[in-house]
């Protein structure tokens, strides 16, 4: 299934795509694409529905982030060897873990705000893992049992805030709108191999990233198991798994986003995003 959330920001309703790509309203059946809805039992219930009997949603509706109720937005850094190289950093001996504020989460086609004082706002297409069942001390063998599905994420980053302002990476990753998520949460049964997905990103029509999850240093199973050693992963939590090469920081000379720039990105089978950058008006 391809699950969506649609409507005005902060008032999104749950939906599902039918075979023709029409959004069908689920708000009469579930409260949100969150919590128990993401469990195996909750997803099985949705799979049993006759979607043709559900109300159709206007195609022009705004799409919100494809999962709600996210308590943790966990990110993995330097998880592609060639991206580590362009960052002039070694491939890590264990996953590099940092957090992105959940207030950064936005819809896949919402405007991205260039924060006040930013000179180095950058792009990163990433595979997102959405947790469906609580995970604590899980083995790699059982890790996927705790995954509800996958989505496309743009891990927008302000490099000066991230690397030149002391401390952890979090403040360079957490500005408002720095986490476009969706358009769809694609349930794990529809993703035969999360380590074999093509991914791409364009800026103003020019291809910047063209990679595959096949080149991840640490794969989905390992990441879910590894993180569950250090924190309980709960339904609705998101893991953003790192980016392939081609970020603005790695270009020679570096190139960063400015108001008016348009990012387009996608992952095979998981849908596409499009964001226009604007100066943060606040």
């Amino acid at each position: 299934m391809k699950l969506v959330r649609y409507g005005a920001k902060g008032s999104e309703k749950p939906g599902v795509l039918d075979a023709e790509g029409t959004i069908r309203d689920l708000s009469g059946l579930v409260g949100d694409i969150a919590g128990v809805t993401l469990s195996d039992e909750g997803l099985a219930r949705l799979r049993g529905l006759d979607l043709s009997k559900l109300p159709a949603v206007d195609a022009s509706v705004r799409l919100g982030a494809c999962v709600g109720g996210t308590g943790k937005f966990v990110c993995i850094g330097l998880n592609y060897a060639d991206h580590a190289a362009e960052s002039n950093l070694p491939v890590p001996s264990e996953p590099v873990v940092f957090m992105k504020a959940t207030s950064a989460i936005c819809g896949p086609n919402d405007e991205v705000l260039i924060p006040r004082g930013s000179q180095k706002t950058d792009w990163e297409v990433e595979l997102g893992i959405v947790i469906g069942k609580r995970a604590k001390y899980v083995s790699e063998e059982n890790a996927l049992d705790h995954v509800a599905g996958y989505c496309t994420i743009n891990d927008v980053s302000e490099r000066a805030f991230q690397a030149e302002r002391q401390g952890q990476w979090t403040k360079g990753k957490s500005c408002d709108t720095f986490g476009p998520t969706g358009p769809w949460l694609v349930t794990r049964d529809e993703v035969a191999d999360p380590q074999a997905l093509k991914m791409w990103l364009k800026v103003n029509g020019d291809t910047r990233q063209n990679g595959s999850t096949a080149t991840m240093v640490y794969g989905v199973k390992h990441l879910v198991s590894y993180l569950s050693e250090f924190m309980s992963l709960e339904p609705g939590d998101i893991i953003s798994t790192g980016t392939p090469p081609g970020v603005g920081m790695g270009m020679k000379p570096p190139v960063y986003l400015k108001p008016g720039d348009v990012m387009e990105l996608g992952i095979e089978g998981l849908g596409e995003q499009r964001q226009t950058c604007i100066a943060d008006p606040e």
Side-chain angles (χ1 to χ4, degrees), residues 209-221:
Q209 294 184 275
N210 186 13
S212 169
T213 58
T215 64
M216 288 168 63
V217 178
Y218 300 105
V220 170
K221 292 179 181 180

Side-chain angles (χ1 to χ4, degrees), residues 34-43 67 129-135 143-150 185 188 224 233-239:
V36 295
T37 301
L38 299 171
S39 68
D40 288 346
E41 296 77 15
L43 295 175
V67 59
I129 307 167
V130 178
I131 298 299
K133 181 173 70 173
R134 185 173 186 265
L144 295 189
D145 294 342
H146 298 264
V147 173
Y150 305 94
L185 191 169
R188 73 172 188 267
V224 172
L233 299 173
E234 304 287 352
D237 286 351
I238 298 170
I239 304 169

